[in-house]
Amino acid sequence: MDTELRDLLFSVKNGDTSVDEALLKLKKQPYIDIGFAKIDMHRKLRTGQAEMIYGAGKTAEQISGILTAMKENGQDRVIITRLSEDKADEVAKEHEIRYVKNASIAVMGDMPEPDGTGKIVIATGGTSDIPVAEEAAITAEMLGNEVVRLYDVGVAGLHRMLDHLDELMTATVIIAIAGMEGALASVIGGVAECPVIAVPTSVGYGASFGGVSALLSMLNSCASGVSVVNIDNGFGAGFLANRINHIKGAK
Amino acid sequence: MDTELRDLLFSVKNGDTSVDEALLKLKKQPYIDIGFAKIDMHRKLRTGQAEMIYGAGKTAEQISGILTAMKENGQDRVIITRLSEDKADEVAKEHEIRYVKNASIAVMGDMPEPDGTGKIVIATGGTSDIPVAEEAAITAEMLGNEVVRLYDVGVAGLHRMLDHLDELMTATVIIAIAGMEGALASVIGGVAECPVIAVPTSVGYGASFGGVSALLSMLNSCASGVSVVNIDNGFGAGFLANRINHIKGAK
Amino acid sequence: MDTELRDLLFSVKNGDTSVDEALLKLKKQPYIDIGFAKIDMHRKLRTGQAEMIYGAGKTAEQISGILTAMKENGQDRVIITRLSEDKADEVAKEHEIRYVKNASIAVMGDMPEPDGTGKIVIATGGTSDIPVAEEAAITAEMLGNEVVRLYDVGVAGLHRMLDHLDELMTATVIIAIAGMEGALASVIGGVAECPVIAVPTSVGYGASFGGVSALLSMLNSCASGVSVVNIDNGFGAGFLANRINHIKGAK
Amino acid sequence: MDTELRDLLFSVKNGDTSVDEALLKLKKQPYIDIGFAKIDMHRKLRTGQAEMIYGAGKTAEQISGILTAMKENGQDRVIITRLSEDKADEVAKEHEIRYVKNASIAVMGDMPEPDGTGKIVIATGGTSDIPVAEEAAITAEMLGNEVVRLYDVGVAGLHRMLDHLDELMTATVIIAIAGMEGALASVIGGVAECPVIAVPTSVGYGASFGGVSALLSMLNSCASGVSVVNIDNGFGAGFLANRINHIKGAK
Amino acid sequence: MDTELRDLLFSVKNGDTSVDEALLKLKKQPYIDIGFAKIDMHRKLRTGQAEMIYGAGKTAEQISGILTAMKENGQDRVIITRLSEDKADEVAKEHEIRYVKNASIAVMGDMPEPDGTGKIVIATGGTSDIPVAEEAAITAEMLGNEVVRLYDVGVAGLHRMLDHLDELMTATVIIAIAGMEGALASVIGGVAECPVIAVPTSVGYGASFGGVSALLSMLNSCASGVSVVNIDNGFGAGFLANRINHIKGAK
Amino acid sequence: MDTELRDLLFSVKNGDTSVDEALLKLKKQPYIDIGFAKIDMHRKLRTGQAEMIYGAGKTAEQISGILTAMKENGQDRVIITRLSEDKADEVAKEHEIRYVKNASIAVMGDMPEPDGTGKIVIATGGTSDIPVAEEAAITAEMLGNEVVRLYDVGVAGLHRMLDHLDELMTATVIIAIAGMEGALASVIGGVAECPVIAVPTSVGYGASFGGVSALLSMLNSCASGVSVVNIDNGFGAGFLANRINHIKGAK
Amino acid sequence: MDTELRDLLFSVKNGDTSVDEALLKLKKQPYIDIGFAKIDMHRKLRTGQAEMIYGAGKTAEQISGILTAMKENGQDRVIITRLSEDKADEVAKEHEIRYVKNASIAVMGDMPEPDGTGKIVIATGGTSDIPVAEEAAITAEMLGNEVVRLYDVGVAGLHRMLDHLDELMTATVIIAIAGMEGALASVIGGVAECPVIAVPTSVGYGASFGGVSALLSMLNSCASGVSVVNIDNGFGAGFLANRINHIKGAK
Amino acid sequence: MDTELRDLLFSVKNGDTSVDEALLKLKKQPYIDIGFAKIDMHRKLRTGQAEMIYGAGKTAEQISGILTAMKENGQDRVIITRLSEDKADEVAKEHEIRYVKNASIAVMGDMPEPDGTGKIVIATGGTSDIPVAEEAAITAEMLGNEVVRLYDVGVAGLHRMLDHLDELMTATVIIAIAGMEGALASVIGGVAECPVIAVPTSVGYGASFGGVSALLSMLNSCASGVSVVNIDNGFGAGFLANRINHIKGAK
């Protein structure tokens, strides 16, 4: 930043850039304002990487508008999370998207080639956690990662997890997704040697309190190397896993 | 009860029992009132089984008084839980008790011979859970049970628990004691085939909230056959395990 | 386990088992993987005992698929809990099941002969707790237990419970089910001499917080011998009661 | 109030009262301002009834000052609640007070003759609840009530309470005091026919959360006729019981 | 009870009562068992007083059945609380009931003459609290009490409450009903000289947490003489107010 | 008040006012009682300022009735908050109102000229917070304030907020509205030099707990000069901002 | 900001400022870094206004160091909040400070002349709230405000508050401080016509939960114009009141 | 694992390994059992990497014992976290350790050369967060990482953080540590392009609830790429950051 600033100032001094141009550059907004939203355009993305839209609080019209603005700015690979089927149908009338129903996710553009350090393993405690897992998986894939899915390997049947020890031992990063008591994160954290991202899900009943029980369990994990994202936040886990799997310069 | 009542009434009719005697019998208090406490004397105990005193809310004098009353009523095997060392010293001046410091427990009378169905296995997640485990263990032993201790077998090092699979598989009842995220109960519940009593402990920090995290985790266990007692309630677990280990008439 | 392993190794040494066969045996999955679920098949069940499916997070198709897989593996007695009437109708098109509406439970196969140590008494505080009680009762019956139902014996009318003291005194294990303030567990725990499994229900309003009030009440029970399962977890209570009622070798 | 006001206005009109005198009367403060506190003097007390000081947040000097001001205004019967022994000693140097240590309460002046409708029964679940009970008892007695103490009659030994059914059935108002799961209030509420004031206490451990478990239990009581005051609020219960026991004009 | 028992025993001794008759009397159930419910019939009601049915967890058929059983046992004045309009219509086909929609309450039989000590004042903070207030009011009226309604006198407009000081000052018991911050109870408690029953309501939004804010506020009231019932529990408040307003022997 | 009272008393003394007239004046209700509600009419409003109706707990008929009563008393500028579209349509049949759907607000009468000290800036973290923001904005505008809207300037894209530093630096009062982690209030509080009113919104999922996370975040803001209103309470924020923007006599 | 930036750029262009000087200016840190802390020096303070130090998490040495740094930068009027007496004594050895024990606050420099719009009224519910009130009062006074103290005017004795209606009606801003049920804020909010800052205090016991009850009560206030700061945050209230009382340009 | 197992089996078949030796190998415990603890020795550590001891629940003797056992097994670089000064002094008598008081951490052995991918930046909101930060920093350093400390850069003075944008932009992984409202994590997450580990601290008062407010804030961060560890868990953050900074094979 220093360098850019210094260059700009020199260029002003030299007369190469007028004061007003410099002012403009310094103030230039790295986002597009389309009225109801300000779309960030400032991230230096790896080529072909997908941009995200959080679909939950937006109308189909708003989402379509954002997609249009993105395309006009050269972004043709987009993930839309938390999108209901109804809205997806509506958006699909104007944009070419693929909708993955059980993950409530839509994607525009095709899947990029994986270019990460290694593999992201996504494990779930039960079948009911699969929607959250798919949100994480598709997010990670659209950002250029190879994903290995290990579903329904919860600790009530420990052998089901132990059966996949080698996948777990060779992962670059693991996403452990579980509801109820969320013990999966601790058990995986106990055997894994890579970063583990724990995702509590709202699966459960009674004193599971919509995922709070699993959340607390994961935060208190006796295994080191485990961190936690918000309840049901598959997207967040997939996004973070991508960052870890794309760290530059690792030996 | 019916029978007793009918017998009593017939005996009144026959003149074998006077009305006042019958009245007395019907009202007779199955406890001793020593002023500051009403000591239950009504349980039909197995011969030699220990009676309990909850020491926490009582002064040394009160505990001594209760012990005296118990001895006078023929009870010479007593467990006193949640007893501070100070109070124990005080009580020891009047009664012959043995104090187990790291479990804050005192016992009067010697250990009975085990006469239960099988063995009670007590497993802890870590070293810090040992005081609660010892409260459970001594309680169970004083009630006539053989106890197997498996301490520090938490899920962060899964192999430590797997190493003791045979003890776990041959137990009559297991007490799983853990703080932090309490995953031990689920993992043991997943491999065991007997009743599992889970005891959350207040071991942990931050969002463990004095045992609430472990408590919720255990209540939401995805493994069947697990039930839960109060946080740090080693006595309750030992007492219940004794009941399960002394069920009459099992085939 | 040791023995099995030693035998296997000797059999490899002797050439009776090839290395690959041994490898296979050591790795053989004790579950069937049918894509969306991994069905456990490893429990050594008593003859005729029922297997369970948790219906809540599964589609009718998934449940049908699991039933088919189970039948193909020789399991023809199954309990499906938390099953809506709609899904039950759907499943009934492919499988012969009986649906018990007020317990949201379906069973495949007929009721086995009771073969437990004694009787399981199931008591509820009110009429609204009956669905949870029936989930517990049917579970226990399908697992081979005799069940005695004592419904609507809450502490607001203490005489209603006292009227059934003999059932309570002769039970092998009692399941105490109550919402609101959950005092039933303590009162029953105070008179019973067998293990008591307390089930808090979400019955109540205002500060009952969907069962939390009853849950806390039961965890803090001043009566010993009481343990607790999750809110509304009738299945868990029935399953655990079965384990207690089937302990081997009791005198 | 109307009448007083009308009279005052007529008296102004008639010249019997000057405008300034009227103004003064209308504004006259029904309390004494002694700098650090404003002592209420406006309640029309029954003759000889005690006034209260909440001792917890006040220094010994402040309490002494308030006592002095009260005595100067003709109030010579006072209850000081939540008073530590240290402060009591300090206050005792200037005022004649009696200190009841296990209730952390001090009284100035002698006990008045009971003049209520009937008796106030105060029942506790255990021995540890006695301090709260004594706070309630002494408060009620100093306000002119006959108090019957039933201590240690908790539901874990139901017979202990049933033994005192007649006291409970003939009370004008019952104060039910219990910690842990607080079931005493429901059980007493189920048999009593008078108002029941439930007082949760902070007695308990683990998930009793300093009285919250008992509080919730009591609020959710399935028995009608039960209301609740704050945790450990013996004074409030005694004060309210006095009001109920002194209702005027009851038939 | 003593006396009754002694008489019965003498009568057995004298041969006036056979053993089996005595047994029957001793065991006679003070409730009617109609299968799905056990209807209490043991309360010695004042002549003409209403019996209660809690409608929430019952079907229209169950309620009709209970009404029939009650009528057959001579009870023709009944209150049914928490009754939806649908169920009320259904019940109305078989029984003559009046339905009060905004209180979700139905009554069978006509209103009795008030025969209490004085008046019950019911005050609400706002208009939204009226349904809870009406549940309290109708309950109290059906139990034989005169009720004064002071609705919408919340503390945001203090003058509205001050305007009714005389009603508040002459009440035998006050029911203070409020949601949001529940300050009404404290303010009324500060001016009243009779027992105040506080009812928190679930009226409010955001951090009112369905009545928890008002509940806590009322429990912590700085005014003495205030006790609290469960959130939205108008029935409980009306029932308790009736008990206070019918205390026997007050001077 | 003193003065008014003194004048009134003198006027009674002088015979200018009769005792009954004085009494009437002293008791005169500063509200209109229209049965189901008591409408405050006592505030000395600035000319043309709007009166408020909280629409949530009221029927369309009740709202219409209140509007009619208000108009009859000379109030022709009214804001109705929390009004569903259905009710708005109903009310619109009788009164000329404008309905702003995305703020669930209706206004009667036209917008007054701004007459405040300066400008009120309303900033939101995201698009989903806009309904709450509009409730605040319209409230403030109807009370006579100039409002500047800065929507979607959340801290995830810090540059979006920094871009509007000058609006923030020159505001008289800022309303910071955000859900999720509510960091916007702290960041704005860190740069602003005027009072900041923070409004947590229920926007978010998982552990946002319906706005509790944002609420706690805002209460704990490390920036000084920030205070908080209830979750989603746009009206309260707009009302308070108006008061701050209309303080009299500022230099 | 724009202007400053433009000027700077022109000055670079003109050669009046070298590139490196400009760079320096653009990056110049508006704080002093003294190792363990970064002291803000960027606020444009009104002449003579005090700077703040939050004493709680700092050692006496650190505080002394910060004071020295401040004095060297020309700031000789400082408030140190949450300062224990011990640390104050320590700091007093190096700096001339006055310590106000019951507010745990120390001030350096003398009190400035009040220069605000009007008066800040600070009201407390009880005597125990005075420490928080004094923290607010001294903060406000050191920032140049006239403060009116109304202590012990809680709603349990409503007349005590009504007695001070004129102070409340003529305030520019009111700080309402209360623990327990926190109703004071609502009652004051109901009569006041200026902004009200509510401060919940941790005064209370039982279900007051260290101020949470008062906090919720204040957030849910039915009175408009009330906002809330953190529990016991007297400083925050005083600081905010100062900002409101110093708004520029009010008419 | 497959391979190892297959090799072992072949070696049994070939007679190279006896059955008992194979059995031993299969069961060999990857930990040392020293009575009160089971010390894990199974992790394949990078050369020279430190092993950890959690000091909180252990006596000085236990810690010394574990250190001795570790040294005997060739581990001479150890971190002991949560170690009080007293215990450290005790341990120092037997082992050469360095104690860092403000982080409550002790290290045995010297600091290894950093061998990670890049730098770990550790930022704190305030000075009070430094102990947690140092726990993270020393942990990371002892595991072979270069650490950059940015302390006291909280959002209340946004410029302090913006001043260090380049450090933040060039980090491999950032640890953001903050108490109170925890906004630092969101703001850093909004500008950073690497994984961000958020650590809530228990710094704060009132409604910060010992770190819960910061925890919720961080879990709900509107910025992507942020995950959270337990309150005050500096060690966990340092350990995880090390894993991320040592991912093998990154491009």
Side-chain angles (χ1 to χ4, degrees), chain E:
Chain E
M1 206 157 208
D2 241 19
T3 326
E4 278 184 38
L5 189 54
R6 183 188 295 265
D7 288 355
L8 183 63
L9 290 171
F10 268 115
S11 136
V12 168
K13 186 181 162 84
N14 298 340
D16 293 354
T17 306
S18 77
V19 164
D20 277 317
E21 279 170 351
L23 193 58
L24 199 73
K25 275 197 179 158
L26 280 168
K27 280 191 53 110
K28 192 156 175 303
Q29 296 172 2
Y31 53 83
I32 314 164
D33 194 325
I34 56 168
F36 50 84
K38 300 188 171 58
I39 308 165
D40 273 311
M41 281 295 159
H42 69 302
R43 288 183 239 195
K44 288 189 203 108
L45 305 165
R46 298 191 317 277
T47 321
Q49 203 183 357
E51 187 57 81
M52 322 285 160
I53 301 173
Y54 180 68
K58 307 200 175 64
T59 64
E61 294 72 39
Q62 289 179 319
I63 293 167
S64 279
I66 295 174
L67 281 177
T68 304
M70 281 178 166
K71 271 198 278 195
E72 287 170 9
N73 280 270
Q75 177 66 43
D76 48 14
R77 192 169 277 149
V78 183
I79 308 169
I80 312 161
T81 60
R82 308 277 162 124
L83 188 69
S84 67
E85 199 169 11
D86 285 1
K87 286 195 209 166
D89 288 348
E90 206 62 36
V91 174
K93 291 179 186 162
E94 292 196 35
H95 298 278
E96 233 173 288
I97 58 168
R98 260 172 320 118
Y99 184 64
V100 186
K101 191 177 167 182
N102 83 335
S104 298
I105 216 169
V107 293
M108 187 176 79
D110 51 3
M111 206 65 90
E113 278 302 297
D115 61 354
T117 303
K119 295 175 192 172
I120 297 173
V121 170
I122 301 182
T124 76
T127 350
S128 318
D129 305 313
I130 292 181
V132 176
E134 282 300 309
E135 188 182 290
I138 296 171
T139 298
E141 286 171 343
M142 284 297 284
L143 291 167
N145 298 278
E146 184 181 346
V147 170
V148 178
R149 287 161 170 86
L150 296 184
Y151 292 168
D152 198 16
V153 295
V155 301
L158 204 56
H159 50 290
R160 297 182 302 192
M161 190 205 77
L162 295 178
D163 228 47
H164 293 280
L165 266 184
D166 22 349
E167 276 101 332
L168 293 172
M169 298 307 282
T170 57
T172 298
V173 49
I174 301 171
I175 299 174
I177 301 174
M180 303 176 86
E181 93 284 55
L184 185 68
S186 287
V187 173
I188 286 184
V191 301
E193 289 174 4
C194 68
V196 176
I197 304 168
V199 189
T201 69
S202 52
V203 169
Y205 60 98
S208 71
F209 300 129
V212 169
S213 172
L215 171 62
L216 288 180
S217 185
M218 287 165 167
L219 280 169
N220 286 288
S221 177
C222 53
S224 301
V226 178
S227 64
V228 187
V229 296
N230 202 353
I231 298 166
D232 288 337
N233 191 3
F235 164 73
F239 186 93
L240 175 56
N242 165 60
R243 282 211 168 156
I244 295 176
N245 196 32
H246 279 91
I247 284 174
K248 282 170 230 154
K251 294 155 200 182

Side-chain angles (χ1 to χ4, degrees), chain G residues 85-156:
Chain G
E85 201 169 9
D86 284 2
K87 284 195 212 165
D89 288 349
E90 206 63 36
V91 173
K93 291 177 186 165
E94 292 195 35
H95 297 278
E96 232 174 291
I97 58 170
R98 263 173 318 117
Y99 184 63
V100 187
K101 191 176 167 184
N102 83 335
S104 298
I105 215 169
V107 293
M108 186 176 80
D110 51 1
M111 206 67 89
E113 278 302 297
D115 60 353
T117 303
K119 294 176 193 172
I120 297 173
V121 170
I122 301 182
T124 76
T127 350
S128 317
D129 304 314
I130 292 182
V132 176
E134 281 301 309
E135 188 181 291
I138 296 170
T139 299
E141 286 171 343
M142 284 296 285
L143 291 167
N145 298 278
E146 185 181 345
V147 170
V148 178
R149 287 160 170 87
L150 297 183
Y151 291 170
D152 200 15
V153 296
V155 301

Side-chain angles (χ1 to χ4, degrees), chain C residues 152-173:
Chain C
D152 200 15
V153 296
V155 301
L158 203 56
H159 50 289
R160 298 182 301 193
M161 190 206 77
L162 295 178
D163 230 48
H164 293 281
L165 265 184
D166 21 350
E167 276 102 333
L168 294 172
M169 298 307 282
T170 57
T172 297
V173 50

Side-chain angles (χ1 to χ4, degrees), chain G:
Chain G
M1 207 155 207
D2 242 15
T3 324
E4 277 182 39
L5 189 54
R6 181 187 294 265
D7 288 356
L8 183 63
L9 291 170
F10 268 116
S11 137
V12 168
K13 186 180 162 85
N14 299 338
D16 293 353
T17 305
S18 76
V19 165
D20 278 316
E21 276 169 355
L23 191 59
L24 199 73
K25 274 199 179 156
L26 280 168
K27 279 188 57 104
K28 193 157 173 305
Q29 298 172 3
Y31 51 83
I32 314 165
D33 195 324
I34 56 167
F36 49 84
K38 301 190 170 56
I39 308 163
D40 274 313
M41 281 295 158
H42 69 302
R43 289 183 238 198
K44 288 193 203 105
L45 304 166
R46 298 192 315 278
T47 319
Q49 204 182 359
E51 186 56 80
M52 322 285 160
I53 302 174
Y54 180 67
K58 305 200 177 66
T59 63
E61 293 71 39
Q62 289 179 320
I63 294 167
S64 278
I66 295 174
L67 282 176
T68 303
M70 282 178 164
K71 272 198 279 194
E72 288 170 9
N73 279 272
Q75 177 67 44
D76 48 13
R77 194 170 274 151
V78 183
I79 307 170
I80 312 161
T81 61
R82 308 279 162 120
L83 187 68
S84 67
E85 201 169 9
D86 284 2
K87 284 195 212 165
D89 288 349
E90 206 63 36
V91 173
K93 291 177 186 165
E94 292 195 35
H95 297 278
E96 232 174 291
I97 58 170
R98 263 173 318 117
Y99 184 63
V100 187
K101 191 176 167 184
N102 83 335
S104 298
I105 215 169
V107 293
M108 186 176 80
D110 51 1
M111 206 67 89
E113 278 302 297
D115 60 353
T117 303
K119 294 176 193 172
I120 297 173
V121 170
I122 301 182
T124 76
T127 350
S128 317
D129 304 314
I130 292 182
V132 176
E134 281 301 309
E135 188 181 291
I138 296 170
T139 299
E141 286 171 343
M142 284 296 285
L143 291 167
N145 298 278
E146 185 181 345
V147 170
V148 178
R149 287 160 170 87
L150 297 183
Y151 291 170
D152 200 15
V153 296
V155 301
L158 203 56
H159 50 290
R160 297 182 303 192
M161 190 206 77
L162 296 178
D163 229 50
H164 294 280
L165 267 183
D166 21 352
E167 277 100 334
L168 294 171
M169 299 306 284
T170 57
T172 299
V173 49
I174 300 171
I175 299 175
I177 301 174
M180 303 177 87
E181 92 284 54
L184 185 68
S186 287
V187 174
I188 286 184
V191 301
E193 288 175 4
C194 68
V196 176
I197 303 168
V199 189
T201 68
S202 52
V203 170
Y205 60 99
S208 71
F209 301 128
V212 170
S213 171
L215 170 62
L216 289 179
S217 185
M218 288 164 167
L219 280 169
N220 286 286
S221 179
C222 53
S224 301
V226 178
S227 65
V228 188
V229 296
N230 202 355
I231 297 166
D232 289 337
N233 191 3
F235 164 73
F239 185 93
L240 176 56
N242 165 61
R243 283 212 168 154
I244 295 176
N245 196 33
H246 278 92
I247 284 174
K248 283 170 231 157
K251 294 155 197 180

Side-chain angles (χ1 to χ4, degrees), chain D residues 141-194:
Chain D
E141 286 171 344
M142 284 297 285
L143 292 168
N145 298 278
E146 187 182 344
V147 169
V148 178
R149 287 160 171 86
L150 296 184
Y151 293 169
D152 199 16
V153 296
V155 301
L158 204 55
H159 50 290
R160 297 181 302 191
M161 190 207 76
L162 295 177
D163 228 48
H164 293 280
L165 266 183
D166 21 353
E167 277 101 332
L168 294 172
M169 298 306 283
T170 57
T172 298
V173 49
I174 300 171
I175 298 175
I177 302 174
M180 302 175 88
E181 93 284 54
L184 185 69
S186 287
V187 173
I188 286 185
V191 301
E193 289 174 4
C194 67

